[in-house]
Amino acid sequence: MPKVPEEGGCPKDDFHLKPTTGTKRRTWGLVVTGVVGGSLIAVYAVAMPFVTPALRRVCLPFVPATSTQIENVLKMLRTRSGSVVDIGSGDGRIVIAAAKEGFQAVGYELNPWLVLYSRYRAWREGVHHNASFYVSDLWKMLPLERKLQTELQDNARVIACRFPFPHWIPNHTTGEGVDTVWTYDSQTFRRHDEGCLKPAKGHAVGL
């Protein structure tokens, strides 16, 4: 083994080892595996809250409210005052629009990313003091119709977007197609039979 002189004249062994090609490949393989694995985990964390509602027994994927739908909801809220609750608030469009009209508006949404985005939009548009958003799983609540019948005040109004309540007769209907909005006054739907109630689909706004 070659010797090299040290300071003071004493030789020392040359033990400097250079990484081999195989070592470099293994290192890069670990780096690539870590990056790909981390990316997949990140995609899973972001995508699952959007995919999960579509895999349930009642398919309810996120579909943003259209401007016409929002206008129809606000039309049904005219001459009203108080608070608005949006169940399945999505990206917060209806809640923010109601807050701009002076309502104290609250949105409940299963997807945590949409809740964070809704809060950001409310802050950006200057209505965060009147608009609140919370993560909540609608399907872990009591059947929605029964819950609304039990907890809403007598002067409450429920507005359903895209999907009507299956056991209630609407007091008013406006819009067409995906922009259809159904209005139910609590004094009316409480007169109906409460037996065999099932959860309803779509936005529900009560005040």
Side-chain angles (χ1 to χ4, degrees), residues 135-153:
V135 178
S136 181
D137 189 348
L138 169 65
W139 303 106
K140 291 182 180 179
M141 303 165 70
L142 293 172
L144 184 56
E145 289 180 357
R146 186 184 302 279
K147 183 176 180 65
L148 295 176
Q149 285 177 327
T150 303
E151 299 184 7
L152 290 180
Q153 298 179 0

Side-chain angles (χ1 to χ4, degrees), residues 113-127:
W113 301 110
L114 290 176
V115 170
L116 291 175
Y117 178 68
S118 299
R119 291 172 179 171
Y120 165 72
R121 285 193 61 188
W123 171 81
R124 186 183 64 183
E125 300 189 29
V127 294

Side-chain angles (χ1 to χ4, degrees), residues 6-154:
E6 291 183 325
E7 294 183 4
C10 298
K12 68 176 182 179
D13 293 336
D14 185 4
F15 288 112
H16 295 290
L17 300 177
K18 296 182 180 180
T20 64
T21 302
T23 303
K24 290 182 178 180
R25 289 178 178 175
R26 284 194 297 271
T27 301
W28 278 109
L30 292 174
V31 171
V32 171
T33 301
V35 171
V36 172
S39 300
L40 291 175
I41 292 174
V43 170
Y44 176 85
V46 173
M48 280 308 295
F50 292 91
V51 175
T52 300
L55 301 178
R56 293 173 180 252
R57 182 174 58 84
V58 179
C59 179
L60 288 175
F62 166 60
V63 180
T66 66
S67 57
T68 301
Q69 185 181 58
I70 295 173
E71 291 176 2
N72 289 338
V73 170
L74 296 179
K75 185 186 303 181
M76 293 297 187
L77 294 176
R78 288 174 185 166
T79 72
R80 311 281 297 189
S81 62
S83 60
V84 170
V85 177
D86 189 353
I87 302 175
S89 55
D91 60 3
R93 300 184 185 193
I94 292 179
V95 172
I96 291 172
K100 289 181 178 180
E101 295 296 319
F103 293 97
Q104 192 68 36
V106 180
Y108 292 95
E109 169 59 43
L110 171 64
N111 190 325
W113 301 110
L114 290 176
V115 170
L116 291 175
Y117 178 68
S118 299
R119 291 172 179 171
Y120 165 72
R121 285 193 61 188
W123 171 81
R124 186 183 64 183
E125 300 189 29
V127 294
H128 56 286
H129 295 298
N130 294 332
S132 303
F133 298 91
Y134 303 96
V135 178
S136 181
D137 189 348
L138 169 65
W139 303 106
K140 291 182 180 179
M141 303 165 70
L142 293 172
L144 184 56
E145 289 180 357
R146 186 184 302 279
K147 183 176 180 65
L148 295 176
Q149 285 177 327
T150 303
E151 299 184 7
L152 290 180
Q153 298 179 0
D154 290 338

Side-chain angles (χ1 to χ4, degrees), residues 190-207:
R190 279 176 174 162
R191 299 192 188 106
H192 290 80
D193 185 7
E194 297 184 14
C196 301
L197 296 179
K198 301 178 181 179
K201 302 184 289 183
H203 290 295
V205 183
L207 64 112

